[in-house]
């Protein structure tokens, strides 16, 4: 099989409701799908990056630039269309993990479709379905939050994650706990909004039996997270900080986290995501699969990853309807709080062609 090039497909999906985090409000998802074209078939990838460099330093226009000028041409001499060769071929370029991840994902899908092997089978899935959690944004009021949580619980979600920031933390958590009881699986995500000076405020979350507090401090403050963990009872989970298996090993050995949120795009791809899973398992650190408002393409791959044995906490892979009026693939739907892991070759799903009719398409050959 020979790699001819990649089609970069960008489109926009409006969100069913604004999604507010400590770093901004998302009202639409700028989607970048990448179609790997080989002489014997194709494969699909979805890039995690947001439109703007707010969650991480990557952003959509920058990814398009680095793909067309550096990363795609660097695959010209790939000896075979095999995903494990993509990372090493791109290693000489610093950073740009989400851009690298989408190429590896598309090549992996092409390779697996050709071999007739599913993502789940290739990655080492041990479950046919996974429990689904849901991420709930910062709201205008506590009553509005409680209504949203009630609706998600009615839909069957197995776990609630609340976005928090200074000024919106203890009060919403207390209200949710009081309204829905102590058995609700509940966690929070600060997206780096606090500093170590806020340790006292974060310790006020301890009485509410949270599963974890996700990324309370800035991405690079590993020592700060270790000190914070010494001052609060709630387990610290890292997201933005964990950019590789090495970063996971360092954070765990420094006591900076007791749980890890794995996002394949953030770490450079599904193969590194599996390595992080393995490192965490070796340290008895549970992991769960995070989300980046993916379309069904990314959801399919994340469900496969979330079925690996050390993904013991519900992740953020929710139903398509959580974010989109219409997904780019047939919708992913919750059944009794769970979703099935796709079983077809590769991702097991493809975009619905007519839904990409208005998309911007750019062909980037591997050989100029
Ligand atoms: C636009 S916010 C994206 C990053 C955020 N993701 C979520 O909260 C889950 C989003 C999803 O359900 O896909 C996180 O920091 O974990
Ligand atoms: Mg997070």
């Amino acid at each position: 099989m020979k790699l001819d090039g990649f089609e970069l497909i960008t489109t926009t999906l409006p969100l069913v409701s604004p999604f507010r985090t400590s770093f901004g409000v998302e009202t639409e998802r700028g989607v970048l799908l990448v179609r790997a074209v080989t002489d014997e078939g194709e494969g699909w990838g979805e890039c995690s990056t947001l439109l703007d460099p707010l969650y991480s330093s990557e952003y959509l226009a920058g990814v398009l630039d680095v793909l067309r000028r550096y990363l795609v041409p660097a695959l010209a001499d790939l000896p075979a269309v095999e995903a494990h060769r993509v990372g090493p071929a791109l290693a000489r370029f610093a950073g740009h993990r989400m851009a690298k991840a989408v190429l590896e994902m598309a090549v992996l899908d092409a390779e697996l479709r050709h071999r007739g092997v599913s993502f789940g089978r290739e990655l080492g899935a041990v479950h046919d379905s996974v429990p689904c959690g849901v991420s709930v944004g910062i709201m205008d009021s506590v009553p509005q939050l409680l209504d949203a949580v009630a609706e998600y619980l009615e839909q069957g979600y197995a776990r609630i994650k609340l976005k928090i920031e200074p000024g919106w933390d203890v009060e919403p958590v207390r209200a949710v706990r009081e309204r829905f009881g102590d058995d609700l699986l509940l966690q929070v995500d600060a997206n780096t909004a606090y500093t170590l000076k806020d340790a006292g405020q974060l310790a006020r979350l301890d009485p509410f039996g949270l599963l974890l507090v996700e990324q309370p401090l800035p991405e690079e403050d590993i020592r700060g997270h270790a000190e914070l963990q010494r001052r609060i009872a709630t387990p610290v989970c890292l997201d933005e900080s964990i950019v590789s298996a090495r970063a996971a090993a360092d954070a765990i050995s420094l006591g900076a986290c007791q749980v890890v949120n794995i996002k394949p795009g953030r770490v450079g791809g599904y193969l590194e995501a599996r390595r992080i899973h393995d490192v965490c398992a070796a340290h008895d650190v549970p992991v769960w699969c995070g989300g980046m408002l993916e379309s069904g393409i990314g959801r399919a791959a994340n469900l496969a990853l979330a079925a690996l044995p050390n993904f013991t906490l519900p992740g953020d892979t929710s139903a398509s309807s959580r974010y989109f009026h219409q997904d780019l693939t047939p919708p992913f739907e919750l059944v009794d709080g769970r979703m099935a892991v796709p079983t077809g070759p590769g991702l097991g799903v493809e975009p619905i062609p007519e839904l990409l009719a208005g998309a911007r398409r750019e062909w980037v050959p591997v050989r100029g």
Side-chain angles (χ1 to χ4, degrees):
M1 201 157 68
K2 188 172 64 64
L3 186 61
D4 295 333
F6 297 86
E7 188 176 35
L8 311 184
I9 304 168
T10 49
T11 189
T12 301
L13 288 176
L15 299 188
V16 295
S17 59
F19 182 52
R20 183 176 155 197
T21 70
S22 64
F23 60 76
V25 181
E26 305 290 320
T27 58
E28 62 184 17
R29 186 60 167 106
V31 177
L32 167 58
L33 298 184
V34 169
R35 186 169 70 92
V37 177
T38 79
D39 58 347
E40 295 183 37
E42 64 183 30
W44 288 92
E46 178 169 2
C47 189
S48 297
T49 183
L50 301 177
L51 279 169
D52 305 311
L54 296 172
Y55 165 79
S56 76
S57 59
E58 295 189 77
Y59 61 103
L60 185 54
V63 167
L64 292 170
D65 181 67
V66 77
L67 287 175
R68 66 171 78 92
R69 289 172 58 194
Y70 299 99
L71 302 185
V72 169
L75 300 183
D77 301 326
L78 214 57
V81 181
E82 294 170 345
H84 70 276
R85 298 175 185 275
V86 172
L90 303 179
R92 72 178 189 274
F93 301 110
H96 295 286
R97 289 182 172 89
M98 292 181 178
K100 292 175 178 177
V102 72
L103 291 188
E104 181 191 89
M105 181 179 176
V107 171
L108 180 58
D109 188 36
E111 176 189 349
L112 295 180
R113 286 179 195 270
H114 183 63
R115 287 168 42 198
V117 175
S118 72
F119 253 64
R121 178 77 183 77
E122 180 71 7
L123 293 176
V126 295
H127 305 294
D128 298 331
S129 69
V130 296
C132 298
V134 65
S135 182
V136 185
I138 294 168
M139 303 266 174
D140 293 334
S141 71
V142 167
Q144 184 191 14
L145 176 72
L146 294 176
D147 289 346
V149 172
E151 176 57 30
Y152 290 131
L153 293 176
E154 181 62 31
Q155 292 171 17
Y157 282 101
R159 178 270 281 146
I160 295 290
K161 158 169 148 176
L162 303 178
K163 291 293 187 179
I164 62 171
E165 63 183 9
W168 179 268
D169 47 33
V170 172
E171 186 192 358
V173 166
R174 176 187 292 116
V176 168
R177 219 8 132 209
E178 286 175 356
R179 166 80 173 273
F180 300 104
D182 293 340
D183 294 340
L184 170 67
L185 297 184
L186 181 63
Q187 63 193 57
V188 295
D189 185 0
N191 287 110
T192 76
Y194 295 83
T195 70
L196 199 50
K197 290 198 295 293
D198 298 310
Q201 179 67 11
L202 292 169
R204 291 181 58 212
L205 293 171
D206 284 349
F208 300 110
L210 298 178
L211 287 170
L212 54 93
V213 53
E214 186 180 343
Q215 199 70 45
L217 308 182
E219 170 185 342
E220 296 174 5
D221 194 3
I222 301 305
R223 285 165 47 87
H225 281 103
E227 178 55 32
L228 176 67
Q229 185 67 95
R230 286 189 280 273
R231 301 187 197 178
I232 68 173
T234 304
V236 172
C237 170
L238 291 177
D239 171 352
E240 289 88 337
S241 295
I242 308 300
V243 295
S244 65
R246 177 187 301 275
D250 289 351
I252 292 165
S253 57
L254 289 168
C257 64
Q258 298 184 53
V259 187
V260 170
N261 164 338
I262 296 182
K263 292 176 179 175
R266 183 191 75 219
V267 303
Y270 284 85
L271 302 184
E272 185 72 5
R274 182 173 54 184
R275 286 190 280 269
I276 294 172
H277 165 274
D278 296 347
V279 163
C280 290
H283 289 81
D284 291 326
V285 167
V287 303
W288 53 282
C289 188
M292 291 299 290
L293 310 184
E294 292 91 349
S295 77
I297 295 294
R299 266 165 223 282
N302 287 347
L303 287 169
L305 181 69
L308 267 63
N310 192 38
F311 281 83
T312 53
L313 292 167
D316 279 347
T317 310
S318 47
S320 296
S321 60
R322 161 65 183 93
Y323 293 105
F324 309 123
H325 301 288
Q326 177 159 37
D327 202 338
L328 295 177
T329 64
F332 281 88
E333 293 166 337
L334 231 53
V335 176
D336 297 331
R338 303 178 71 88
M339 284 200 291
V341 177
T343 55
L347 289 168
V349 297
E350 293 182 331
I352 299 167
E354 50 268 27
L355 296 182
L356 294 182
R360 179 183 175 280
R361 307 174 88 109
E362 176 185 354
W363 172 245
V364 183
V366 288
R367 292 163 201 82

